[in-house]
Amino acid sequence: LAVIGHPIAHSLSPVMHNAALSELAKSRPEFAKWRYFKFDIAPEQLETAVDLFGESKFYGLNLTVPHKTIVMALPAFKVAPQQQFLREMGAANTLKRKDHGWYGYNTDGFGLKNALADDLGIGLENQHVVLLGAGGAARAAAVMCLGTSASIWIGNRTETNRDALIKELKQSTQFKAHENFPITGFDPVNPPSTLPQRAIVINATSLGLKPTDESPLDLEKIPKPAAVFDMIYRPAQTRLLKQAAKMGIPNANGLSMLVYQGASSLEHWIESPLPFDVLDLMHRTVRDALK
Ligand code: ATR
């Protein structure tokens, strides 16, 4: 198994998954020889890399920035009949090798949902959601909100990417099933005064990964949100979260989301539910690794 991304050096996935695999092997010895690695793969090398992982008998891959969307265009990428929503989502974070191809899954939505419940005690149902970003991670979140949230507001630096995502979302089956579902794009530098009160702000951009990064949104410029969630977990407190804390807004970083999306990926690879003690160990391992 491996996670591939660019950059990847700081990923906690290997330490988390290797801990999970050793724990799992205690009751399931067939996993004793499984290992999880990380590889820095530039986007232009993705196709060759994925083919080589297959030839080298890798069984599962996690994908992170910037591969989640571009992987779907590769000839080796396949979608199982029960995962067809992936085509509409336009992003995969998990691959499983089978029958000479790599089958895609997306566990980010599951991760986000569980993290919001665990860390902030909230769900996205009937909530106004201010989603920052229009890449792979944002897509998974947006699809999850479609039809269940009260509205989605997508703020992204590049207008064309934002518009493309909104256009795709509006063509999805979920959207068509909930006609007139409100999806609005906005410029995060100049947010509109029409943004709703008590929204849940979710950062799905990579802005904040570097210590010198600006915040993706100035929370003082919008009506006070009910909660702020940042998918970034390293640094543990981005500028966005620091501002939320200063303003007394409940907030959480992406650490629990990392664990839940990883646990769900692992369940796809081992083709069975993870025992609770393995999940618990994954939570403890990432927390210890960040101390
Ligand atoms: P992921 O798979 O994690 O979603 P991605 O598909 O590469 O990664 O998407 C990265 C997101 O972060 C995009 O929304 C991107 O905005 P653009 O569409 O404008 O590129 C956003 N992002 C990355 N760097 C940024 C920066 N310096 N300022 C603002 N947004 C940024």
Side-chain angles (χ1 to χ4, degrees):
L1 310 173
V3 58
I4 62 177
H6 187 68
I8 199 64
H10 297 297
S11 171
L12 288 183
S13 291
V15 68
M16 172 177 81
H17 280 282
N18 284 321
L21 289 167
S22 341
E23 186 65 23
L24 193 63
K26 289 179 187 165
S27 55
R28 307 270 306 267
E30 67 270 34
F31 298 118
K33 287 191 174 166
W34 284 38
R35 294 288 181 276
Y36 188 107
F37 301 89
K38 63 181 168 192
F39 293 91
D40 194 314
I41 308 286
E44 57 278 13
Q45 297 173 318
L46 183 65
E47 182 170 356
T48 315
V50 165
D51 290 345
L52 280 173
F53 282 120
E55 284 168 30
S56 313
K57 301 281 178 269
F58 273 73
Y59 179 59
L61 297 174
N62 273 140
L63 305 159
T64 184
V65 194
H67 301 311
K68 290 179 191 180
T69 45
I70 54 176
V71 72
M72 296 194 62
L74 300 186
F77 183 84
K78 304 205 169 0
V79 178
Q82 64 276 29
Q83 299 288 328
Q84 284 304 322
F85 69 92
L86 266 191
R87 295 272 181 219
E88 291 189 347
M89 190 181 273
N93 75 331
T94 304
L95 300 180
K96 180 159 90 174
R97 186 170 55 80
K98 226 172 159 186
D99 306 332
H100 311 292
W102 288 97
Y103 283 78
Y105 302 87
N106 197 316
T107 67
D108 280 339
F110 174 87
L112 175 65
K113 197 173 156 190
N114 282 276
L116 289 173
D118 261 25
D119 294 343
L120 296 168
I122 52 175
L124 293 170
E125 299 79 15
N126 305 315
Q127 304 276 10
H128 296 291
V129 177
V130 172
L131 181 60
L132 305 173
R139 275 161 193 268
V143 169
M144 217 179 53
C145 295
L146 268 185
T148 62
S149 300
S151 66
I152 312 179
W153 298 74
I154 299 180
N156 192 57
R157 170 185 59 177
T158 310
E159 192 178 354
T160 45
N161 293 347
R162 184 205 314 161
D163 290 348
L165 173 57
I166 293 174
K167 194 173 163 206
E168 280 175 44
L169 289 171
K170 288 191 171 174
Q171 281 161 359
S172 71
T173 332
Q174 270 288 18
F175 181 80
K176 287 178 186 152
H178 298 86
E179 250 182 277
N180 301 324
F181 182 83
I183 311 179
T184 316
F186 71 94
D187 172 6
V189 178
N190 293 303
S193 56
T194 44
L195 280 179
Q197 294 279 351
R198 300 201 50 78
I200 297 176
V201 173
I202 299 173
N203 178 38
T205 75
S206 45
L207 203 55
L209 278 175
K210 288 188 246 117
T212 49
D213 279 352
E214 294 294 317
S215 173
L217 179 70
D218 181 354
L219 298 172
E220 296 281 5
K221 285 190 183 172
I222 66 166
K224 195 170 178 183
V228 176
F229 183 85
D230 199 326
M231 292 191 187
I232 295 171
Y233 57 85
R234 201 177 213 166
Q237 204 183 29
T238 56
R239 273 180 203 223
L240 177 72
L241 292 188
K242 273 190 194 136
Q243 191 185 28
K246 213 168 140 194
M247 292 169 68
I249 304 166
N251 62 89
N253 70 19
L255 204 56
S256 298
M257 179 173 168
L258 170 79
V259 173
Y260 283 114
Q261 63 77 32
S264 179
S265 297
L266 197 50
E267 289 184 337
H268 285 300
W269 297 321
I270 67 172
E271 295 177 349
S272 60
L274 270 191
F276 178 76
D277 56 339
V278 177
L279 181 64
D280 189 48
L281 179 70
M282 291 170 83
H283 278 290
R284 281 186 283 120
T285 304
V286 293
R287 280 184 168 76
D288 287 350
L290 280 182
K291 271 184 191 155

